Amino acid sequence: MTGLIIEGLHKTFFPGTVNEIRALKGIDLTLAPGEFVTVVGSNGAGKSTLLNSVAGVITPDRGRILLGGVDITRLSEVERAARIGRVLQNPLAGTAPSLTVAENLALALARGRSRGLRWALTAARRRRFAEELAQLGLGLENRLDDKVGLLSGGQRQALSLLMATLQRPDVLLLDEHTAALDPRAAALIADLTNRWVRQHRLTTLMITHNLEQAIRLGDRLVMMHEGRILFTVSGPEKQALTIEGLRQAFERVRGQEFSYDRAVLAH
Ligand SMILES: Nc1ncnc2c1ncn2[C@@H]1O[C@H](COP(=O)(O)OP(=O)(O)OP(=O)(O)O)[C@@H](O)[C@H]1O
Ligand SMILES: [Mg+2]
C-alpha cells in the first residue's frame, strides 16, 4: 500500500541535559492514499514535531517514515520537497511578497526540479495558473500580475495552499494554517482546504487547534498528548462527535481534566 506510513517515531530534543524534551514517544500512524486526518492536542503535544519529521525539517531519533512505499526517513528536506506540500500558520511564510502571484506559482512549480526553466512564465503556464486560481473561487485569477504583498491574509493562505499542491504532492501537511486568520477568513480557508483535498484526493495531515474544524473535516481525528497518540476517532463515531464528546474521551483516557487553552476559544 502507498500513502503515508509512520512507524515507531521518537524524538528527544537536548538529550541527556536538564532541558531534555521527549517530544515524540513512539508515534505509529498510517494514512491511506487520499485519506484526510486532523490532529489535535494541547500545546507541546508534539504535533508540529510530527509534521516536521515528515517534512524532513527535523530528523527523528528512531522510527521510519514511508511515503508512497519509499523510506524517506533519512532524505533531506530538499530531496523530499517535490513530494510534500506544506502550509504553515503564518500567511507571510508560504509566499514571497515582492513577487507577483504568477511568479510565486512559477516558483512553486519549479520546486524540487532542476534549474533552467525555473522562471519561465510561458503563456501556457499563465493559463494553467489562471485556471487553477479560478477554482479557488476568490477572483485571484484576475490578479496574476499583482504583488503577493498586496493580498489579504486569507488570499495569501489560499495561494499558499495552491502552491503547496500544484505538483500534486504525495502528502499535504497543514500546521495550523488557519490559526493566524480572522474567523471569517479562517472558515473560508478551512472550507477551501476541505474541497481542495477531496477534489484532488490528497493524502492530508492537518493540525488544528480549532476542535470544531477537526471534528467537521477529515476522515479521522487524532488526539495527541505529551508525545503520544492518545486515541483516534473515525467513521460514524467521528460523524457523531461533538466538542463535549471529545473532551469526555480525553478525560476517560487520561483520567485528568481536559484543559485545552487555545482550543476552548477556537469555536
Ligand atoms: N526544534 C526544536 N528544538 C527544541 N525543542 C523543540 C523543537 N521543536 C519542538 N520542541 C519542543 O518539543 C515539544 C513539542 O513541540 P511541538 O512544537 O511539536 O508541539 P505542538 O504540539 O506543535 O504544540 P503547539 O500546539 O504549541 O504548536 C515542546 O516542548 C517544544 O518546546
Ligand atoms: Mg505546533
Side-chain angles (χ1 to χ4, degrees), residues 20-203:
E20 181 172 288
I21 298 168
R22 294 178 64 203
L24 298 178
K25 301 174 188 169
I27 299 288
D28 295 298
L29 183 65
T30 296
L31 273 71
E35 195 178 7
F36 182 4
V37 171
T38 58
V39 183
V40 295
S42 46
N43 295 124
K47 305 180 297 295
S48 294
T49 305
L50 176 62
L51 254 67
N52 287 337
S53 303
V54 176
V57 180
I58 67 153
T59 310
D61 303 325
R62 264 197 283 158
R64 23 177 239 161
I65 303 167
L66 289 102
L67 184 59
V70 178
D71 189 337
I72 60 165
T73 322
R74 305 285 151 197
L75 293 186
S76 72
E77 190 181 348
V78 173
E79 284 170 312
R80 47 182 119 175
R83 306 183 50 207
I84 295 177
R86 225 157 51 109
V87 184
L88 305 179
Q89 182 169 340
N90 184 354
L92 307 179
T95 48
S98 59
L99 300 181
T100 66
V101 169
E103 286 166 345
N104 268 275
L105 285 163
L107 269 184
L109 205 56
R111 203 158 46 96
R113 295 185 187 181
S114 59
R115 290 172 170 275
L117 286 174
R118 282 173 78 90
W119 279 97
L121 255 176
T122 58
R125 277 192 185 172
R126 286 177 62 90
R127 260 199 312 279
R128 174 173 171 209
F129 294 159
E131 277 165 20
E132 298 239 7
L133 285 165
Q135 288 179 44
L136 297 177
L138 297 174
L140 287 175
E141 65 277 18
N142 302 317
R143 305 192 61 178
L144 273 178
D145 298 315
D146 282 359
K147 291 228 175 12
V148 164
L150 298 173
L151 304 183
S152 71
Q155 288 171 330
R156 282 183 78 155
Q157 277 309 64
L159 180 60
S160 299
L161 182 67
L162 177 54
M163 287 168 64
T165 56
L166 206 55
Q167 298 201 48
R168 306 295 181 247
D170 292 335
V171 69
L172 173 64
L173 305 174
L174 306 168
D175 193 344
E176 299 197 45
H177 72 308
T178 69
L181 304 174
D182 65 71
R184 217 175 118 254
L188 186 137
I189 295 300
D191 288 345
L192 174 62
T193 301
N194 189 45
R195 184 162 58 81
W196 209 250
V197 164
R198 295 313 191 188
Q199 187 177 328
H200 299 291
R201 294 187 183 80
L202 297 165
T203 311

